[in-house]
Amino acid sequence: MSHYSDNLEVEITPSQWTNFAWFIVGAGLFMFVIPPIVAIGKYLEVLFWKYQFRERTIIERKGIFSVTRTELHYYRVKSIVIEEPFWMRFFNLGNITIISSDPYQSVLRLWAVPQPLELKEAIRERVRSEERRVGKECRSRWS
């Protein structure tokens, strides 16, 4: 039995608004086969793309048939950047880039997430909490 618990707190998905142009092209060229298939593929790609915010980690899970799972520990986060493109601001969406000290995953990009400013603050608060926890564990090991 593992002593490591990482309970799921929140799970979000990128917004389907990122596929708006594909949906328009697919609807406008419905008589052709390729654009609707591409639009459906894009829809499914976003549908199966999840960001899980757990107690100690952020997990990005992508893929329909082949799944990629990227994990980033909060205590490794060094900086957070928010981008709010003009068209996304209408829907209260934004992109968050997390820069970390992880040698294998130095940048994690969260695409088209809802309420990016609130999410950034929640991540920042969790980072502070984990830094305090990890710091206490390190100090207790060496005492």
Side-chain angles (χ1 to χ4, degrees):
M1 179 106 182
S2 175
H3 297 285
Y4 182 73
S5 127
D6 196 16
N7 301 323
L8 178 65
E9 294 179 352
V10 177
E11 181 175 89
I12 61 174
T13 310
S15 173
Q16 287 291 350
W17 282 107
T18 58
N19 292 324
F20 184 70
W22 286 107
F23 297 149
I24 296 299
V25 168
L29 300 173
F30 190 77
M31 62 198 96
F32 301 108
V33 176
I34 303 291
I37 290 174
V38 171
I40 291 169
K42 290 291 187 180
Y43 172 79
L44 290 174
E45 179 183 342
V46 172
L47 185 67
F48 286 95
W49 189 355
K50 306 278 187 223
Y51 301 116
Q52 297 178 341
F53 296 89
R54 296 182 170 267
E55 193 174 2
R56 296 181 182 176
T57 58
I58 300 171
I59 297 171
E60 177 187 43
R61 189 176 184 280
K62 292 170 71 168
I64 299 170
F65 300 113
S66 298
V67 177
T68 303
R69 187 173 186 263
T70 305
E71 187 171 321
L72 177 65
H73 290 269
Y74 286 113
Y75 69 86
R76 291 195 174 271
V77 173
K78 297 299 175 197
S79 183
I80 302 172
V81 178
I82 295 180
E83 296 173 342
E84 293 178 290
F86 179 72
W87 70 271
M88 282 190 186
R89 292 180 66 189
F90 290 111
F91 307 106
N92 197 17
L93 300 172
N95 302 322
I96 297 178
T97 303
I98 300 173
I99 295 134
S100 76
S101 63
D102 191 323
Y104 300 106
Q105 182 66 36
S106 60
V107 175
L108 178 63
R109 190 105 191 217
L110 309 177
W111 293 93
V113 295
Q115 301 174 336
L117 296 173
E118 290 85 353
L119 182 57
K120 175 199 170 259
E121 288 306 314
I123 293 169
R124 177 59 59 202
E125 195 56 42
R126 181 58 71 182
V127 167
R128 287 185 191 117
S129 171
E130 275 299 290
E131 285 173 342
R132 286 191 296 270
R133 185 191 65 77
V134 170
K136 285 180 184 176
E137 282 183 7
C138 289
R139 285 191 296 273
S140 67
R141 284 187 199 151
W142 298 105
S143 301

